[in-house]
Each structure stands twice: as structure tokens, then as C-alpha cells.
Amino acid sequence: MTIQWFPGHMTRARRQIEEKLKLIDVVFELLDARIPQSSRNPMIDEIVGGKPRLILLNKADLADAEQTTRWNKHFKAQGHETLAIDASNGTGVKDISGKVKELLREKIERQLSKGLKPRAARALIVGIPNVGKSTLINRLAGRNVAATGDRPGVTKGQQWIRTGSDIELLDTPGILWPRFEDPEVGNRLAATGAIKEEVLHIDEVACFVLKELAPRYGDVLSERYGLDSLPSSLPDLQSAIEVLEAIGRRRGCLAGGGHIDYEKAAGVLLRDLRSGKLGRITLEGPEEAMEPIGASE
Ligand code: GDP
């Protein structure tokens, strides 16, 4: 396996997570339900090792429900427990406890057979920035204990957070990195707001999004932006730029001389996508994830 892209801070992040793993019974691997593969750390299996793991497809409120079902099946077929949740509203969050009991059943039964009362399961939340780790910690805790926003949480001394059920959480989540050296992954991460727009050109991200959406969510685009003749596939950059231009014209994103301000038009599209105004959209299906990441390296 080649790991040239693996700079020092990632090694440190990984080491920090490995330290935390010693303290816990179960890992909650938080993914973005709109981009489950792109929001995944490429070395997660190695990092988590044999520790029981629950995959949580977060932001399911923004994702295409049908695709989320397919992703759930995909991860189950790989032998993982999974659950779709919406940490900001709490949907699905109460089912986490039952899943944890399933994952730790043998351990719990062993404790019971020795006459011991099973203690609360200790959990660590891991995920890439912006995937909703702090929001989930606050949701499980029932109060505000973690900083949310598009920056990593404020680091303080490690504490256990009680959750009202039989789970205790480490208050500092494990921050993972995405596979950002892959341009498609980078575009998906930028489209959902997981990485800062400045990293990529916003108009390029918008063209990528249009190319992805045209075949699957063309009706949604046509309706929202009044596009009469949107083709069902945008085969090249030029065809995507034309659609972006049409959106810009519709939305009055004009630069001087009657030209379209592409960045403004791109901003409109991406804001609509991220806020759910385009409806519930998933940007990648499990068929694009059949090859385990890293398998060919
Ligand atoms: P962290 O960096 O992983 O800790 O991510 P945060 O918890 O700070 O969340 C990043 C952003 O995503 C915040 O604006 C949250 O409100 C939002 N968010 C988190 N979970 C959900 C969810 O399930 N649905 C939606 N729509 N937004 C969410």
C-alpha cells in the first residue's frame, strides 16, 4: 500500500484515536449519508481494528431515503451494524442503544453469567470534520457539551459524558481525514460543505454537482431553476457550464457587460443543495463503493 499522501498530522490524529480506543467498548463511525464513501476515512478498518463498530449515516434528513436504504444494505453485507440518523433533530438516535446492545451481546452475557451487572458501554465517536460529531454528542447528552460548527471541537481534558441510556461517551470525538487526494471525493466533500470551498474552485464544484445530478435528479434542477431543456446527461465540462449559465441567468447572477457571474451562480446552487432546498439528494451510490478503498494500492 502506498501512503505518500499520509502527512504527519494524520499520523498524529491516528495515534490519538488509537489511544482512545483502549478506553472504549464500541466505536461510532459517523458518515455523511449523502456521501457515505467519500466521507469515510480510507484506513478506517485498520484504525478501528477489531473494536465493535456501529456505522451511523448522519444527515439522513438531507439524503435520498432510497439511497440510504441501499447504503445500509451495502454496509450490512460487509458485516457492519448500521443506522441512519439525523443528529440535529434526533431521528434514529434513540435506536443507537439497541444496536450497541446487539454489538456487545456476548460481552454483556459474559458479565451477566458471572453475576456482574453490565456497566454502561463506553463509546467513541469518530468522523471527518463537519460530519456532525459534536451535534451527535450534544444530542446523546441531552445538553450542549460539545462545540459545533465547521471547526474541530474545542479540546479539553477527556471526560465521560452520560447519555441517559446505557452509553457513556468520550467527550472529545476522534477526528478523521477524508481521502482528499481523489478529485471526485474532493468535489463531493466540497459540495456538501465538508471541506472549505477555498480549497477548490466553487464553479468547478458546481459543474461537478450538475453533472452528477442531471441523470438522477434532473427534474429537481429543472423545476427549481426553470430549465426547460436540461439533458439527462452532461457529458463534458462545457455542457455543465451551459447549465450553470442558465441558472445564473434565471437567478440574476450577473457580472458587468451582461455576462454571467459563474461564482455567484455556483454559490446559489451549492447553498440550495446543502440546505436541502433541492430536496433530499445523495451524491454517490453504493455501486461506486464496491471496491474497498485501498484494495488496489
Ligand atoms: P463536527 O465537526 O463533526 O463536530 O460537526 P458538527 O456537529 O459541528 O456539525 C456540522 C454541521 O452539520 C452543523 O452545522 C450541524 O448543525 C450540521 N448537522 C449535524 N448533524 C446534522 C444532521 O443530522 N442533519 C442536518 N441537516 N445537519 C446536521
Side-chain angles (χ1 to χ4, degrees):
M1 191 189 309
T2 49
I3 51 166
Q4 311 93 301
W5 54 271
F6 200 62
H9 70 272
M10 293 178 183
T11 319
R12 265 199 307 283
R14 179 176 178 174
R15 210 174 299 132
Q16 276 168 5
I17 290 178
E18 282 166 352
E19 282 299 311
K20 289 176 181 168
L21 285 177
K22 294 179 193 154
L23 308 172
I24 54 129
D25 304 303
V26 58
V27 173
F28 296 160
E29 182 190 359
L30 213 52
L31 302 179
D32 186 323
R34 297 166 297 173
I35 49 167
Q37 186 68 14
S38 297
S39 60
R40 215 163 188 217
N41 176 277
M43 300 180 83
I44 188 68
D45 289 343
E46 264 181 66
I47 295 172
V48 170
K51 209 45 104 173
R53 187 185 347 165
L54 174 59
I55 293 179
L56 297 172
L57 296 170
N58 191 37
K59 308 198 185 185
D61 55 313
L62 297 174
D64 184 328
E66 207 175 296
Q67 294 291 337
T68 302
T69 304
R70 297 181 64 228
W71 274 107
N72 266 326
K73 282 193 186 138
H74 169 78
F75 287 125
K76 279 208 176 96
Q78 291 188 336
H80 293 298
E81 284 290 344
T82 77
L83 199 58
I85 62 166
D86 164 3
S88 42
N89 285 311
T91 314
V93 172
K94 63 175 180 349
D95 299 327
I96 291 177
S97 165
K99 289 278 179 187
V100 168
K101 284 209 181 81
E102 271 173 47
L103 273 166
L104 301 180
R105 195 168 49 211
E106 277 182 27
K107 193 169 183 174
I108 293 171
E109 278 169 3
R110 253 196 332 268
Q111 286 171 331
L112 287 172
S113 70
K114 287 187 201 154
L116 298 170
K117 186 175 177 287
R119 63 165 170 76
R122 294 188 157 169
L124 170 68
I125 294 176
V126 302
I128 66 168
N130 252 332
V131 73
K133 297 180 295 299
S134 308
T135 308
L136 180 60
I137 291 176
N138 290 335
R139 170 66 53 187
L140 284 166
R143 61 186 198 280
N144 260 21
V145 291
T148 59
D150 59 356
R151 347 161 240 130
V154 184
T155 318
K156 28 184 181 152
Q158 265 169 25
Q159 294 171 29
W160 294 103
I161 299 167
R162 287 178 207 281
T163 68
S165 70
D166 30 21
I167 298 169
E168 283 180 0
L169 277 180
L170 258 189
D171 69 340
T172 46
I175 298 168
L176 295 169
W177 60 96
R179 196 190 202 213
F180 48 73
E181 87 280 20
D182 177 330
E184 289 223 331
V185 172
N187 273 317
R188 290 193 179 106
L189 291 165
T192 52
I195 58 176
K196 294 251 181 296
E197 272 159 23
E198 302 95 75
V199 179
L200 297 161
H201 292 291
I202 181 173
D203 38 359
E204 281 174 27
V205 176
C207 284
F208 171 85
V209 165
L210 288 170
K211 279 161 86 174
E212 295 283 298
L213 296 193
R216 282 180 277 180
Y217 303 100
D219 295 352
V220 177
L221 287 174
S222 301
E223 197 174 314
R224 177 132 187 111
Y225 303 114
L227 310 170
D228 308 325
S229 51
L230 181 73
S232 62
S233 99
L234 302 173
D236 50 28
L237 189 59
Q238 186 52 38
S239 54
I241 289 173
E242 280 164 23
V243 177
L244 188 59
E245 203 172 301
I247 293 174
R249 207 173 299 120
R250 277 277 172 172
R251 287 301 161 104
C253 306
L254 299 175
H259 293 294
I260 299 296
D261 184 332
Y262 290 103
E263 287 197 6
K264 240 187 213 167
V268 166
L269 175 71
L270 295 182
R271 262 194 311 279
D272 285 353
L273 174 72
R274 290 174 192 159
S275 63
K277 289 209 177 81
L278 287 177
R280 297 174 63 173
I281 283 178
T282 297
L283 287 171
E284 63 189 354
E287 61 280 357
E288 289 149 65
M290 296 322 277
E291 180 85 353
I293 284 184
S296 59
E297 289 174 323

